[in-house]
Structures are given as structure tokens and as C-alpha cells.
Amino acid sequence: MDQEDRIALFLDYENLALGVRDHHGGRPFDFRPIADALAERGRVVVRRAYADWSYFDEDRRMLTRSHVELIEIPQRMGASRKNAADIKMAVDAVELAFERDYISTFVICTGDSDFTPLVHKLRELNKRVIGVGVEKSTSALLPPACDEFLFYDRLEGVDVPPAAGRRVRAARPAEPQTPPRAELPPEPPVEAPPAEEEPARDVDTLAVLVAQTVAGMQGSSSGEVTASGLKRTLLRKDPTFSESDYGFRTFGELLRHLAGHNVIELAAGPAKGDPEVSLPERGDREVAFALLRSVVVDLAGEGGAVPLSGLKDQLRRARPDFSEKKLGYRSFLQFAKAAATSGAVELRWSPEADDYLLTPHTP
């Protein structure tokens, strides 16, 4: 149990409950999906929710059954009541950060950007901060400030209503110039446009992100890159990252998928269930270097040179699925320099051409 993260949970309840009501078709807020998500991340030792509970009578019973401490904010008028709840929650969180050293993670459940300074202060105190908010009511400023941000709508167990098409009201027909008892033909039903489906996440874009991240971690550290370290780095780049958005149940399943497509390689790591992740040192890279050399040979002819500009398009004509980013290179120039280092080609800068020139390597 000593290895578990101790978590303190703070809920800006009015922000969450109203966000769910407004954007989930009037459905009530359900605390259980948040509790389940946090149970996977550590041991929750503090659970507090802040609101004027006279407005949320039914919710009180649900939260009490989940052992959440309800902090009552005296009823006031307008924004002052909401500000009182925000200030009380922020003060309690900072106080707990100083008094309870064993608490390593703070979960701030809100979409309000007013809590961004609190997030920054907790991170200054060496606390990990996880944010939770309703996607459509969360300020764009809040997720990047957190170590990880969970959208309530995407949590397991949250039933999100389908996006309803907008109902179009038919124009009222003019009064007919007919006898009073004449029947009008029935109006044709007005069909709502089909609901727009959420676009699927691009796994190829994810493969590029993972390959670039592994390459950067290998370049900046002499140690091995583990799956857990890779996941932490991806969350630092994008706190809203979740493998479930790409159709994978676990991060390990995602890594095995990428390994099966030769984007990365997996090997036994320092701990069970935490494999070492690396980029293919052979195979795809050597094939790509050989492809570059063959294209340069074809274009250069006898004793000629090929400018770097436009060369990538020539490679894609020979191999449409070519991507230097999938090999871990941030740019085509970086790939060309690596090919030159390996001896596949020679690369030099030409002031006359104002470009890099490539020639086949001559031993």
C-alpha cells in the first residue's frame, strides 16, 4: 500500500452538476464514474464537495452513499455565493497540501478557469494534479495546466446522449379560402437532420506522436524508455490524452498495436507489466535509408546531385506509405542527416543552390 498514490478529491459541485444537466440532455450527475477512474490511479483518502446543498437535495444522498464530505456554503445572492464556494475550496486544498505530506495527488473537479492558479500552486508544491470537467463547459485554459485531465463525458460508465438534430418548425400555412368544414391535407412530417458522428481519432497521427516522443526521450536520457514513463510524457504533452479515445482498452494494448505495425519495439522492462519501448534500430530504418539511396541514384545520374527540396515527394512516389515521422524523425532533413551518418548517402549544404544536396555514397 506504501507504493500507492494518496489522492485528495475536491469537487466544485455546482460547476459539474450544471455542466452535465446543460450538455447531457438534463441528465443528473453521477459520481460513480469519477470514483472508478480514481480507484485505478490510487487510494482516495479525502473526498469533499462544495455547494449550496439546498439546490441539490437529491444529489446529497448520492454523494453521501459514496462517502463524500459535503461542505455547505451559506446561501447568498448571485455570483458572491459561487465565489464563496470557489475560495473555500481553494483555501482547503492549499491547506491540505501543507498539512498532509503523504497526499501526492490532488483531483480538482471543475471546468472553471478560475481554478488555474490553484493548479499551478499545487504543482509548485510538488503535487500531481488531475482535473475533471464536462467537455463542453470546461475552459480551454484549465486542461493544459494539469498533469492529467479527464473529461467526464469520456469516462467509463457515463451515458452520453446522442447529439440531437435541430428540430425545424414548418411554416404555418396561410388561412385557406375554403368553407369552414373543408379539411386541409395533412402536413408532411419535418425530419430532423441526422446526428453528426464524432470523427474517429487518427491512429496514424498517434503513431507519429508516440514515435517522436520515444525518439526525444531516447535522445535526452541515457536510460531505457519504459511504457509507464512514455505514458507520463504523453500526458505532459497533452493532459487530455487517453488511449481509449483511439479505441484501445489499455495503454499496453495500444503499444502492442504500434509494435505490430513496426512503429516501436517492445522488450522486457525493469518491472513486470512495464515493458521497455524503443524505436526499431534496424529493419524499417535500413529499408528507408536504402530507399533514399536508390531514389538519389536514379535522380542524380552519373556524378550528379539531388536537392533536398522535393525529394520527399519522390520517395513517396516509390513508397506511398513513407513517413520519416513514423521512424522517429521530426523532419525530413533530420532523416536525411541520419541516412548520411549511416553511410547511405552524402549530404552537404550548397550556397549556390541555397539547399542541401544529396549524392550517392561512394566508399
Side-chain angles (χ1 to χ4, degrees):
M1 190 169 68
D2 291 338
Q3 301 300 320
E4 290 182 320
D5 282 339
R6 267 67 166 191
I7 298 174
L9 170 64
F10 291 84
L11 294 100
D12 177 11
Y13 196 78
E14 184 171 337
N15 181 277
L16 285 177
L18 296 183
V20 172
R21 186 194 68 184
D22 293 344
H23 301 292
H24 286 204
R27 300 186 183 188
F29 170 78
D30 185 5
F31 175 71
R32 175 51 55 186
I34 294 178
D36 291 344
L38 297 183
E40 299 167 357
R41 288 162 171 78
R43 180 170 170 239
V44 181
V45 296
V46 174
R47 301 182 182 190
R48 296 179 184 173
Y50 297 74
D52 181 349
W53 296 108
S54 62
Y55 291 93
F56 304 101
D57 190 52
E58 290 297 325
D59 302 51
R60 295 176 63 174
R61 298 183 180 89
M62 177 263 297
L63 292 172
T64 301
R65 287 194 297 268
S66 298
H67 310 288
V68 177
E69 181 184 359
L70 307 182
I71 308 300
E72 179 73 40
I73 304 301
Q75 185 174 2
R76 298 181 185 177
M77 296 298 294
S80 62
R81 176 176 55 81
K82 181 65 171 67
N83 290 341
D86 293 353
I87 294 171
K88 173 65 173 170
M89 180 168 149
V91 169
D92 286 357
V94 173
E95 181 182 35
L96 203 66
F98 280 105
E99 290 185 347
R100 304 288 189 268
D101 290 338
Y102 57 83
I103 295 179
S104 57
T105 302
F106 282 74
V107 179
I108 308 299
C109 297
T110 184
D112 193 341
S113 62
D114 289 348
F115 285 97
T116 304
L118 170 63
V119 173
H120 289 314
K121 179 56 64 177
L122 291 172
R123 296 185 69 183
E124 285 179 18
L125 296 172
N126 197 29
K127 305 298 183 181
R128 185 167 183 261
V129 181
I130 300 175
V132 182
V134 179
E135 189 164 7
K136 290 184 179 180
S137 62
T138 295
S139 168
L141 299 175
L142 189 59
C146 301
D147 293 294
E148 182 180 3
F149 198 91
L150 306 175
F151 286 116
Y152 173 81
D153 322 60
R154 303 180 190 176
L155 295 179
E156 188 70 27
V158 176
D159 186 15
V160 180
R166 201 175 199 181
R167 294 188 63 86
V168 181
R169 180 176 292 180
R172 188 174 182 178
E175 290 293 331
Q177 301 298 322
T178 55
R181 293 188 179 182
E183 294 185 359
L184 295 174
E187 297 179 11
V190 180
E191 295 184 359
E196 296 183 1
E197 294 185 359
E198 184 178 352
R201 300 268 175 152
D202 188 358
V203 178
D204 288 338
T205 302
L206 175 63
V208 170
L209 173 64
V210 171
Q212 289 181 338
T213 303
V214 172
M217 294 175 70
Q218 287 179 333
S220 62
S221 174
S222 57
E224 68 275 0
V225 178
T226 62
S228 58
L230 175 60
K231 177 70 178 285
R232 287 194 296 269
T233 304
L234 290 172
L235 284 171
R236 282 195 288 268
K237 287 186 173 184
D238 179 10
T240 67
F241 169 81
S242 174
E243 60 275 1
S244 63
D245 292 339
Y246 298 88
F248 299 99
R249 293 172 296 176
T250 64
F251 190 63
E253 183 180 335
L254 164 62
L255 294 181
R256 289 190 293 273
H257 171 82
L258 296 180
H261 287 75
N262 297 319
V263 177
I264 58 173
E265 289 182 349
L266 299 177
K272 184 178 179 180
D274 192 13
E276 182 180 342
V277 185
S278 62
L279 294 175
E281 293 296 334
R282 295 188 167 280
D284 277 8
R285 288 192 181 190
E286 291 189 348
V287 170
F289 293 160
L291 173 66
L292 176 63
R293 187 181 189 283
S294 66
V295 170
V296 170
V297 168
D298 292 341
L299 296 176
E302 195 67 35
V306 180
L308 184 69
S309 301
L311 184 56
K312 182 176 178 178
D313 292 335
Q314 298 296 328
L315 263 68
R316 283 185 167 170
R317 288 192 180 97
R319 182 177 168 183
D321 64 341
F322 170 80
S323 171
E324 75 281 356
K325 291 183 172 61
K326 286 187 178 181
L327 299 171
Y329 300 105
R330 297 184 181 275
S331 66
F332 186 69
L333 174 59
Q334 187 183 29
F335 166 74
K337 289 180 177 179
T341 302
S342 72
V345 294
E346 293 180 355
L347 180 70
R348 63 181 177 85
W349 173 257
S350 171
E352 295 81 10
D354 193 28
D355 199 354
Y356 284 96
L357 298 180
L358 291 85
T359 54
H361 177 70
T362 54

